[in-house]
Amino acid sequence: AMLIPLSSFDKHPSNSRHRKATSRITKIVTYKRTLLLTIAILGIINYFRSSQYNTNNKLDAPSQHDTKIITSDETSSYLYPPHEAHPFVYDYNPQNNNNDHIYDFFRKSSKKSPKVIEFYDPKCGACQAFKYNYIEIAKKIQEQKPNVQFYGVSCQVYKSICDDFGVKRFPKILVFPDDDGTTITKEDGIEVPKGTGTIYFVTARLMKALRTKEEIEMDRVASSKFSAGR
């Protein structure tokens, strides 16, 4: 009998194709692992940046609000009181007549503009951690859409309102892109998931939800043209 060297099997065409396929799979797996690792690293970097931002509490335009000192009992029920000097997010408080931005928009809004409302519990750890990210998100979106108004609603103070809007977990973010000045209801809102609370991703989700009917139609036409051209 004639012995065939093992090296000859390695040179067989089928073995060569197998090695090439294995090599491609290995490259794909390596690429996916690298991508996931990169995303994780960016998430960690953003977390520490947000933590540093929260600690420093550096916000623009500090002089646009009253900076009077109020007691801890008054602040414990709200996350966005006006004394914190940020012009981007306002706590819902229809009884505060000193601030033109606050009005009873759940019953009759005098300002016809898109709204983003965060329903929160001031004692909720996730709400406290998301607080300054929400302010930064409001700032970024208002740079592109100045007419969008951002609010927070304390479910500790306005429990009945939160019940009406079906708030079961905190925080809950609703977008009202077509506020025409009439009564706002749960059915009018678009819920936007907070997810991990990353500024970039929440901003992107809110910008999508805040699109006007014209912008939605333009995106649909552009998507159709792209699909037809493929």
Side-chain angles (χ1 to χ4, degrees), residues 102-120:
I102 306 302
Y103 48 88
D104 200 354
F105 50 74
F106 289 113
R107 294 183 177 86
K108 183 69 176 178
S109 171
S110 60
K111 298 184 179 181
K112 300 178 181 181
S113 60
K115 294 176 178 60
V116 179
I117 303 175
E118 177 201 0
F119 297 87
Y120 67 85

Side-chain angles (χ1 to χ4, degrees), residues 26-191:
T26 302
K27 288 181 179 179
I28 292 172
V29 171
T30 303
Y31 171 77
K32 288 184 176 180
R33 287 178 177 175
T34 303
L35 181 61
L36 290 173
L37 180 61
T38 302
I39 293 174
I41 292 174
L42 291 175
I44 293 172
I45 292 174
N46 181 74
Y47 171 79
F48 282 106
R49 285 181 176 176
S50 299
S51 299
Q52 183 179 7
Y53 177 82
N54 296 349
T55 302
N56 294 338
N57 191 17
K58 294 180 179 179
L59 297 172
D60 296 336
S63 61
Q64 295 190 20
H65 290 269
D66 184 13
T67 57
K68 65 179 181 180
I69 299 176
I70 59 180
T71 66
S72 58
D73 291 338
E74 292 174 316
T75 60
S76 61
S77 299
Y78 296 96
L79 287 183
Y80 309 99
H83 76 281
E84 289 196 351
H86 53 77
F88 308 112
V89 180
Y90 297 92
D91 253 312
Y92 172 73
N93 186 357
Q95 297 178 352
N96 185 355
N97 297 322
N98 296 325
N99 194 334
D100 293 336
H101 291 273
I102 306 302
Y103 48 88
D104 200 354
F105 50 74
F106 289 113
R107 294 183 177 86
K108 183 69 176 178
S109 171
S110 60
K111 298 184 179 181
K112 300 178 181 181
S113 60
K115 294 176 178 60
V116 179
I117 303 175
E118 177 201 0
F119 297 87
Y120 67 85
D121 185 330
K123 297 180 180 179
C124 163
C127 301
Q128 295 172 1
F130 182 61
K131 172 181 177 177
Y132 289 101
N133 278 13
Y134 186 55
I135 295 172
E136 186 65 22
I137 289 166
K139 177 181 177 182
K140 288 183 177 296
I141 290 180
Q142 288 173 353
E143 288 174 354
Q144 302 179 57
K145 293 178 174 288
N147 63 326
V148 178
Q149 297 174 342
F150 282 77
Y151 296 94
V153 176
S154 172
C155 292
Q156 179 177 307
V157 181
Y158 302 102
K159 185 178 183 303
S160 60
I161 292 178
C162 294
D163 290 341
D164 290 341
F165 281 79
V167 180
K168 303 296 183 183
R169 61 186 183 277
F170 305 102
K172 178 175 183 177
I173 302 174
L174 289 179
V175 175
F176 300 87
D178 300 315
D179 179 23
D180 57 0
T182 58
T183 302
I184 291 177
T185 64
K186 175 184 176 181
E187 289 70 25
D188 300 325
I190 301 172
E191 184 171 0

